[in-house]
Amino acid sequence: MKTITETELLKEHIIHLKLKQAIELRQLKSEVHSAIHHLNPLASFFGSADTSETKFDLVDTAVSLTSQLLFKNNILSRFQEPIKRWLGNWLQNFIK
């Protein structure tokens, strides 16, 4: 029977550690990728399994809240009439 020398034992140990390192690196990359995906709100919003109707409702709500904020604000309310007039003219020209 062949005896195992110290160098062979060290070589096996090095191979074992390299395999363990490769597995841990793969797991770490996977965890980092999933953490980045969860931290990005747009990726989670568009990548979720929700229906498009729910997404449309969320976007519609955001747009309506933004428009209410802009036109209910006293500072911006004086610009409301010129903006409406400009949009009306633009729409009339666009329709023609």
Side-chain angles (χ1 to χ4, degrees):
M1 188 163 201
K2 183 179 172 185
T3 59
I4 299 176
T5 63
E6 193 171 322
T7 57
E8 290 174 348
L9 187 62
L10 286 174
K11 286 181 183 179
E12 287 181 17
H13 190 64
I14 290 172
I15 291 171
H16 179 278
L17 288 176
K18 284 184 179 181
L19 289 173
K20 183 179 176 184
Q21 183 183 25
I23 291 171
E24 288 176 352
L25 180 65
R26 199 174 321 129
Q27 289 174 344
L28 182 63
K29 284 182 180 181
S30 174
E31 289 176 7
V32 168
H33 179 71
S34 66
I36 289 173
H37 182 72
H38 288 297
L39 289 177
N40 188 355
L42 289 177
S44 63
F45 179 71
F46 289 110
S48 64
D50 293 338
T51 62
S52 61
E53 184 178 321
T54 305
K55 292 177 187 177
F56 179 76
D57 290 342
L58 288 174
V59 171
D60 186 42
T61 303
V63 168
S64 67
L65 286 175
T66 305
S67 65
Q68 287 177 7
L69 176 72
L70 288 175
F71 288 116
K72 297 293 181 182
N73 192 346
N74 289 333
I75 297 170
L76 296 176
S77 63
R78 67 178 113 152
F79 297 112
Q80 185 175 5
E81 283 301 318
I83 290 172
K84 283 183 179 178
R85 204 173 319 122
W86 180 80
L87 283 174
N89 289 337
W90 186 80
L91 284 174
Q92 286 178 353
N93 289 334
F94 182 74
I95 292 173
K96 289 179 184 181

